[in-house]
């Protein structure tokens, strides 16, 4: 599991040596002296220790939502599962939206920084660096629909080779100037910041690049488990990163130019081309992890009711995480390739990188304080001291990264703001629709008495009505009766709820009651990491004694036409219009619930919100 985690969890943070130290030293201005070099390295090392090792590996990974980590899982645990907290929900959604912004920048800077190694191999390749990076990125996004099950099995071993390689390169650099190891002393970093020989604390915006993938350690915890991730980090990833950063710093101490890519200067010229190839593959794997993470986060947001239904394709029967979301994939491709062409160099992209992740980490630290108090049961002073230290560190990095806003940092913030707006509008519109539907329910007793009085014909088979209403007879059944003037012999009204936990046991999946003869009302519970399967659920209902005929089932779903309310009590017109646009482009309920297309009847209805 630790080997498999190398290819998914550590791709982003593992490829950061390609650009981090070069970016930081460029911010110091001029030719760095010994104090600046050792201070810079000290800041990088202690950032890895404090943010990645202490905050995420030691503390955050002890707090989980039934084994799942990440900001959405933490938000569901604290803001929904324990008790409704709108502020925590808003904070968690903002952090998730910011990760989408980061997801567009990461593939661009990673692949571009790897391909730039061609400049060192031969300067004549320089005109081909940018086109090559764009071609690689386009190819990466195009293969997503095929799934990565086969390629994924090779990710772990390839990243193992990558980490061993960068560690050996670092050792080779350290051997040329062993005094660089003095940088483990944090006083070098502190004195470097206080000395005024760097551009104040703004250099921390470059230092932060070394931990931009640290959030994945927590977010992917549910896929691999905490222990394998901790083992891989402690035994391989962290030592390899420290050794490589130290080797690069040693090379600069010896007089290597900082204008060129320092990472590639560690490599002997005879092995430079193989290293460029390996670095490119490693950055593709890192980009793949970001894209897969965006798919997974999208599914969670859809299940929790914060994004419209999108078509989700399961690309592997063996791995639940092997999914493909076309709308997210093509949107990320256009934005990523556009950023690559617009910024042109990894140095320029570094300005757009980091601010979204630093804001997400700040949001995570705020949520961790509540979790330490309510989940771990810690006192205010203990939880406040630890979480407060994390918040101070995150605030410092966020403030340092804020200086990049004008020079490119606005890009991920605009993307995050767009995603956040979509989430809020969709959730608000869906709640308004559900509230209006609840106003139109009919008591079961009155409904059944009306059927008996009018002698409504009952035809053979089972009718399954999917509805949002949680009691009485849903409007969908009433409209069906008014149009067709007949009902099936067996009636099954089903409400599907997504819980604030990732998985729900099959034994707790279904609750049903026979509210009238041959009339069942049921509610199904799914976790936010699960995809509902209604035909399989009906098989479970039949096995539990429900007398539905599985061989003759018709599914009824509603197709709502949303209209603005004229009584002044509805949503603002612009919100309603945006919701209507998203609803029209969302996936059909039948596909989302895996209903057989030849057994679905859609009933149109108008709802004013």
């Amino acid at each position: 599991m630790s080997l498999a985690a190398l290819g998914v969890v550590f791709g982003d943070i593992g490829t950061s040596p390609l650009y981090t130290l070069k970016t930081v030293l460029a911010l110091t201005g001029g030719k760095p002296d010994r104090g600046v070099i050792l201070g810079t390295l000290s800041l990088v090392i202690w950032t890895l220790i404090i943010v990645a090792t202490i905050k995420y590996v030691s503390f955050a990974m002890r707090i989980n939502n039934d084994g799942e980590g990440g900001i959405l899982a933490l938000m569901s645990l604290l803001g929904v599962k324990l008790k409704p907290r709108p502020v925590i929900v808003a904070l968690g959604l903002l952090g998730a939206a910011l990760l989408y912004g980061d997801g567009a920048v990461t593939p661009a800077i990673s692949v571009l920084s790897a391909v730039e190694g061609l400049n060192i191999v031969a300067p004549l390749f320089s005109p081909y660096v940018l086109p090559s990076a764009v071609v690689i990125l386009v190819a990466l996004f195009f293969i997503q629909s095929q799934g990565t099950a086969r390629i994924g099995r090779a990710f772990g071993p390839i990243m193992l080779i990558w980490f061993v390689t960068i560690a050996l390169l670092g050792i080779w650099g350290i051997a040329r100037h062993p005094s660089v190891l003095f940088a483990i002393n944090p006083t070098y970093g502190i004195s470097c910041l206080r000395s005024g020989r760097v551009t104040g604390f703004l250099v921390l915006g470059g230092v932060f690049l070394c931990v931009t993938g640290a959030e994945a350690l927590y977010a992917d915890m549910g896929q691999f488990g905490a222990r394998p991730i901790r083992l891989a980090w402690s035994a391989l990833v962290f030592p390899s990163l420290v050794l490589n950063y130290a080797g690069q710093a040693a090379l600069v101490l010896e007089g290597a130019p900082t204008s060129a890519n320092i990472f590639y200067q560690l490599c002997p010229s005879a092995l430079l081309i193989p290293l460029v190839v390996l670095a490119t593959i490693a950055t593709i794997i890192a980009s793949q992890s970001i894209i897969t993470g965006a798919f997974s986060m999208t599914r969670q947001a859809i299940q929790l009711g914060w994004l419209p239904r999108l078509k989700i394709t399961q690309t592997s029967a063996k791995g639940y995480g092997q999914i493909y979301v076309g709308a997210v994939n093509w949107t990320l491709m256009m934005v990523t390739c556009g950023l690559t062409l617009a910024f042109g160099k990894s140095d320029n992209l570094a300005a757009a990188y980091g601010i979204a992740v630093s804001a997400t980490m700040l949001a995570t630290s705020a949520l961790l304080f509540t979790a330490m108090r309510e989940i771990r049961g810690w006192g205010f002073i203990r939880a406040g001291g630890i979480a407060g230290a994390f918040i101070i560190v995150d605030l410092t990095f966020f403030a340092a990264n804020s200086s990049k806003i004008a020079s490119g940092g606005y890009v991920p913030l605009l993307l995050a703001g767009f995603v956040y707006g979509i989430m809020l509008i969709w959730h608000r519109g869906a709640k308004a629709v559900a509230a209006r539907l609840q106003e139109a329910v009919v008591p079961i007793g009155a409904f059944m008495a009306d059927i008996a009085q009018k002698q409504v014909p009952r035809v053979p088979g089972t009718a399954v009505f999917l509805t949002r209403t949680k009691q009485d007879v849903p409007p969908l059944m009433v409209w069906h009766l008014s149009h067709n003037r007949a009902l099936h012999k067996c009636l099954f009204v089903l409400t599907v709820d997504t819980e604030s936990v990732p998985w729900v046991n099959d034994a707790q999946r279904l609750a049903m009651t026979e509210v009238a003869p041959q009339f069942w009302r049921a509610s199904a519970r799914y976790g936010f990491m699960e995809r509902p399967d209604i035909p399989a659920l009906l098989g479970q209902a039949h096995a539990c004694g429900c007398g539905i005929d599985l061989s003759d089932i018709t599914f009824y779903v509603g197709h709502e036409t949303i209209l603005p309310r004229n009584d002044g009590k509805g949503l603002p017109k612009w919100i309603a219009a945006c919701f209507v646009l998203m609803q029209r482009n969302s996936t059909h309920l039948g596909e989302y619930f895996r209903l057989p297309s030849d057994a679905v009847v859609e009933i149109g209805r108008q709802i004013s919100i």
Side-chain angles (χ1 to χ4, degrees):
M1 292 297 289
S2 293
L3 180 63
L6 287 178
V8 176
V9 180
F10 301 104
D12 190 5
I13 197 170
T15 53
S16 58
L18 283 164
Y19 47 80
T20 297
L21 198 65
K22 177 183 66 171
T23 302
V24 177
L25 292 177
L27 290 172
T28 63
K31 184 175 177 59
D33 58 21
R34 176 184 172 83
V36 171
I37 296 169
L38 292 180
T40 297
L41 177 60
S42 181
L43 290 171
V44 169
I45 292 173
W46 281 96
T47 298
L48 288 169
I49 293 173
I50 294 172
V51 176
T53 304
I54 297 178
K55 176 183 173 180
Y56 283 103
V57 175
S58 299
F59 282 93
M61 292 176 67
R62 297 180 185 274
I63 300 169
N64 59 81
N65 189 348
D66 289 352
E68 287 292 330
I71 194 163
L72 277 181
L74 193 59
M75 177 207 77
S76 301
L77 175 64
L78 301 175
V80 181
K81 185 177 180 180
L82 292 182
K83 58 182 176 181
R85 290 185 174 114
V87 174
I88 287 181
V89 170
L91 194 61
L93 292 175
L94 178 60
L98 287 164
L99 288 178
Y100 280 102
D102 172 67
V105 182
T106 297
I109 189 173
S110 298
V111 173
L112 194 54
S113 60
V115 179
E116 282 173 350
L118 293 173
N119 290 333
I120 300 178
V121 175
L124 60 91
F125 286 135
S126 181
Y128 305 102
V129 168
L130 186 58
S132 299
V134 172
V135 169
I136 291 172
L137 288 169
V138 170
L140 174 65
F141 283 102
F142 261 93
I143 66 171
Q144 295 304 311
S145 60
Q146 305 302 314
T148 57
R150 294 180 181 177
I151 304 173
R153 287 193 290 269
F155 282 179
I158 291 174
M159 291 307 294
L160 175 62
I161 295 172
W162 168 256
F163 284 116
V164 171
T165 300
I166 66 172
L168 292 175
L169 291 174
I171 292 171
W172 180 82
I174 294 170
R176 299 172 63 174
H177 218 299
S179 65
V180 75
L181 295 177
F182 286 122
I184 194 66
N185 187 341
T187 58
Y188 280 95
I190 296 172
S191 62
C192 187
L193 288 176
R194 296 175 59 186
S195 65
R197 289 179 292 176
V198 296
T199 316
F201 84 104
L202 299 181
V203 75
L204 291 175
V207 172
F208 184 75
L209 296 177
C210 73
V211 289
T212 48
E215 186 76 20
L217 276 68
Y218 187 35
D220 291 324
M221 183 175 63
Q223 186 173 354
F224 299 99
R227 290 182 64 188
I229 292 176
R230 288 194 180 106
L231 176 61
W233 172 256
S234 303
L236 179 64
V237 179
F238 176 66
S240 298
L241 291 174
V242 171
L243 287 172
N244 192 266
Y245 283 123
Q248 291 187 47
L251 212 62
V252 178
L253 276 175
E254 199 176 50
T258 59
S259 56
N261 194 308
I262 307 171
F263 174 83
Y264 285 113
Q265 294 180 57
L266 277 175
C267 183
S269 56
L271 300 176
L272 194 54
I273 292 179
L275 181 62
V276 172
V277 173
L278 178 60
T280 303
I281 296 174
T283 55
I284 289 173
I285 292 173
S287 303
Q288 175 65 57
S289 302
I290 292 294
I291 298 168
T292 304
F295 293 164
S296 178
M297 191 162 58
T298 299
R299 175 168 56 187
Q300 291 182 42
I302 291 172
Q303 296 286 72
L304 291 169
W306 290 98
L307 280 179
R309 296 182 305 273
L310 299 175
K311 183 176 181 180
I312 299 175
T313 304
Q314 194 76 32
T315 59
S316 172
K318 296 181 179 179
Y320 181 78
Q322 295 287 338
I323 61 174
Y324 170 72
V325 186
V328 175
N329 184 68
W330 300 123
T331 302
L332 278 178
M333 186 192 77
M334 289 188 291
V335 176
T336 300
C337 292
L339 289 174
T340 304
L341 292 170
F343 285 87
K345 296 171 60 180
S346 61
D347 292 347
N348 299 333
L349 268 169
Y353 200 41
I355 187 168
V357 185
S358 61
T360 301
M361 289 184 175
L362 182 59
T364 301
S365 295
L367 295 180
L368 284 176
F369 169 73
T370 304
M372 289 174 186
R373 294 273 291 142
E374 300 186 8
I375 305 300
R376 305 296 295 181
W378 292 355
F380 181 84
I381 295 177
R382 183 184 180 187
I386 295 173
F390 294 152
I391 290 174
I392 290 172
V393 171
D394 292 333
L395 269 175
T396 304
F397 280 122
F398 178 74
N401 278 290
S402 296
S403 64
K404 304 177 181 180
I405 291 178
S407 55
Y410 62 88
V411 173
L413 294 181
L414 287 176
L415 293 173
F418 177 72
V419 174
Y420 191 58
I422 288 177
M423 289 179 172
L424 294 179
I425 291 171
W426 176 259
H427 189 70
R428 191 172 176 184
K431 285 186 66 176
V433 170
R436 292 291 286 172
L437 288 175
Q438 194 62 40
E439 296 173 0
V441 297
V442 176
I444 291 176
F447 181 77
M448 298 305 293
D450 190 54
I451 290 176
Q453 180 182 356
K454 295 180 179 179
Q455 298 183 344
V456 173
R458 306 295 292 270
V459 299
T462 300
V464 176
F465 294 87
L466 296 171
T467 179
R468 296 183 182 90
T469 60
K470 301 191 177 204
Q471 61 185 16
D472 297 325
V473 178
L476 186 63
M477 185 182 291
V478 177
W479 290 328
H480 163 66
L481 178 61
S482 65
H483 286 299
N484 295 290
R485 295 175 173 79
L487 281 175
H488 286 73
K489 181 180 178 182
C490 295
L491 302 175
F492 195 90
V493 178
L494 178 63
T495 303
V496 178
D497 294 317
T498 300
E499 302 293 321
S500 57
V501 295
W503 311 95
V504 173
N505 293 330
D506 286 339
Q508 302 173 329
R509 176 85 62 205
L510 182 65
M512 58 183 180
T513 305
E514 190 173 8
V515 295
Q518 299 292 296
F519 188 151
W520 285 270
R521 222 186 193 290
S523 62
R525 301 170 62 238
Y526 287 91
F528 59 78
M529 290 293 289
E530 298 178 283
R531 181 185 175 188
D533 188 339
I534 301 306
L537 185 78
L538 295 178
Q540 182 179 343
H542 182 75
C544 292
C546 179
I548 59 178
D549 183 2
L550 295 177
S551 63
D552 186 9
I553 295 179
T554 303
F555 297 92
Y556 289 89
V557 298
H559 178 78
E560 294 114 3
T561 299
I562 307 299
L563 301 173
R565 293 181 67 166
N566 297 320
D567 55 5
K569 298 180 181 179
L571 297 176
K573 289 186 178 181
W574 70 271
I575 292 181
C578 292
F579 177 76
V580 169
L581 180 63
M582 286 188 279
Q583 189 202 42
R584 287 176 180 171
N585 290 278
S586 63
T587 302
H588 191 275
L589 267 176
E591 183 176 352
Y592 181 72
F593 287 126
R594 305 187 189 185
L595 305 180
S597 57
D598 56 351
V600 176
V601 175
E602 197 174 84
I603 297 178
R605 49 190 174 169
Q606 292 184 343
I607 298 176
S608 57
I609 59 172

